[in-house]
Amino acid sequence: GWGGLACGAAQGAAPGRRDLEPHGAQRGTAVTLTLRGADLGGGATIRSTLPASFAPLTPKEGGLSYLVEVRPDAPVGLYPIRVETPDGLSNILLFSVGVFPEVAEEEPVDYSNDSPEKAQAVPVPATINGALRGADQDFYRFVAKAGQRLVLEVEARRAGSAVDPLLRVFDANRREIAVNDDARGIGVDSRLDVTFPADGEYYVALHDSKFSSQAQNFYRLKIGTFAYAEGLFPLGWRKGESVEVEMFGGNLAAPVKVRPALTAAGFALISVPGAEPGALPFPFAVGELPEVLEPVETLAPATVVNGRIARPAEVDRYKLAVKPGEQWFVELERASLGTSRLYGVVTVYDEQGKKLGAAGIKRTFETPVSDDERAKIQAAADATKGLIALLK
């Protein structure tokens, strides 16, 4: 549930928060958290599920400051923070809890880390808190040993930033040895898993994939050793029931299975069980409707089927028993769940094979992902036996 800290009452319009600093912390440490925005008066209530204590500090101009002590046992993840006044609640901003020591990007007016020559030295492991200012790119240098394997991962879009990050790693001779734009399982954020060929210094460069300028331009770059998966199946299940979820890919030696607690509708959070922490958990959809796993031939009304397209050109087919005049909604969920890379098309046919409707958008990976495809189907008056929905 929500935690609360009462610090007095503010008057005026509902608070609006534009940013917070820093955007995360290492668990078991204390940080000074500053919230900036409009109508943040001298008193407020912090609403957050963050496992931490909040102690108010002297307010800064245009913002509120707190000493935040994050509990040592706080799970790795993103936590909502809001400000409440008698006039209402502010928008939500996300605060990230990690396991590595935190490092701030050093980029004062007379210094820029936009080239290997000016790269900021950082320890390993570390979480670097930085920002891309305009068409910017940030370089960091670190030391690795021959055969050492490190994961470099960016938290940006998942944490509420508008940055679409791209990561590159270079050796001491400035030769590129690894690059990633959109990594599997983390949307448009980036991840590299690198085994270093020799002892020495290496460079990591981070920039927006389109070098665009964004108001929400922050990122958190993690460099360290931790386990991560690239996907899970199924992507959701019914509240109050039990289901075995398989996590796979990434640097897991083999798929692992977990049974999440599905106590409330919305999203449960699933991490790799028994692994070194570091990766953000996967969101797992928890709904109210009955759910089934493929294969299944005929779907009952108000049922969610969990399937996957396992090979190129695969088509999954389902029958729906309908009556004349009924209105049906067929909805494909994948991108909004945060883990699927399926670009799906839903097509509906009558029993004679006549196409009644379709929904789907073909995109390249560079195109921003939009809302899930939706198909609204009005059953034809002469449809007496059924429809076949084709998902591909």
Side-chain angles (χ1 to χ4, degrees), residues 93-279:
L93 293 178
L94 297 175
F95 187 87
S96 179
V97 171
V99 296
F100 301 139
E102 302 273 326
V103 176
E105 178 190 9
E106 298 173 357
E107 195 171 34
V109 175
D110 59 348
Y111 175 85
S112 176
N113 59 342
D114 61 358
S115 68
E117 293 77 15
K118 298 178 180 179
Q120 178 180 339
V122 295
V124 172
T127 298
I128 305 159
N129 292 274
L132 296 173
R133 298 159 180 84
D136 187 17
Q137 60 179 335
D138 292 341
F139 281 82
Y140 301 95
R141 58 185 171 89
F142 60 94
V143 175
K145 296 185 176 296
Q148 184 177 6
R149 184 176 180 179
L150 294 173
V151 179
L152 300 92
E153 181 181 299
V154 183
E155 294 177 12
R157 193 66 63 86
R158 290 171 294 166
S161 175
V163 170
D164 178 0
L166 188 148
L167 271 182
R168 302 178 189 273
V169 173
F170 303 86
D171 65 16
N173 296 315
R174 320 292 170 83
R175 290 190 296 260
E176 183 179 278
I177 61 174
V179 61
N180 176 256
D181 186 355
D182 301 337
R184 293 182 181 274
I186 57 176
V188 301
D189 282 349
S190 300
R191 180 196 292 127
L192 287 171
D193 191 335
V194 181
T195 300
F196 293 89
D199 293 354
E201 280 195 333
Y202 291 87
Y203 301 87
V204 55
L206 188 155
H207 63 80
D208 183 90
S209 63
K210 302 175 182 62
F211 287 97
S212 62
S213 179
Q214 304 290 345
Q216 291 292 337
N217 61 356
F218 65 89
Y219 62 82
R220 284 169 57 81
L221 171 59
K222 296 181 289 190
I223 307 176
T225 301
F226 56 91
Y228 67 92
E230 292 177 322
L232 73 167
F233 184 81
L235 299 181
W237 205 251
R238 191 179 192 182
K239 182 185 73 172
E241 296 185 354
S242 178
V243 67
E244 188 174 69
V245 180
E246 181 182 86
M247 307 184 74
F248 52 86
N251 58 4
L252 303 182
V256 296
K257 296 181 178 180
V258 61
R259 287 187 176 272
L262 309 180
T263 56
F267 285 95
L269 298 177
I270 302 180
S271 297
V272 178
E276 294 179 277

Side-chain angles (χ1 to χ4, degrees), residues 300-311:
T303 299
V304 179
V305 59
N306 292 272
R308 50 184 164 184
I309 303 301
R311 59 184 183 275

Side-chain angles (χ1 to χ4, degrees), residues 15 39 48 51 68-69 83 131 149 223 253 263 268 333 385 391:
D39 298 305
S48 180
V68 179
E69 296 184 83
V83 175
R149 184 176 180 179
I223 307 176
T263 56
E333 291 186 320
K385 294 185 179 178
L391 282 68

Side-chain angles (χ1 to χ4, degrees), residues 74-88:
V76 172
L78 296 167
Y79 296 88
I81 293 181
R82 306 182 80 172
V83 175
E84 182 179 16
T85 75
D87 298 294

Side-chain angles (χ1 to χ4, degrees), residues 329-333 346 372-375 391:
F329 294 85
V330 181
E331 182 178 76
L332 172 63
E333 291 186 320
V346 177
D372 293 318
E373 288 82 2
R374 301 174 185 269
L391 282 68

Side-chain angles (χ1 to χ4, degrees), residues 3-9 43-47 54 56 66 84:
L5 171 67
C7 305
T45 300
I46 294 292
R47 298 293 187 186
F54 292 78
Y66 300 88
E84 182 179 16

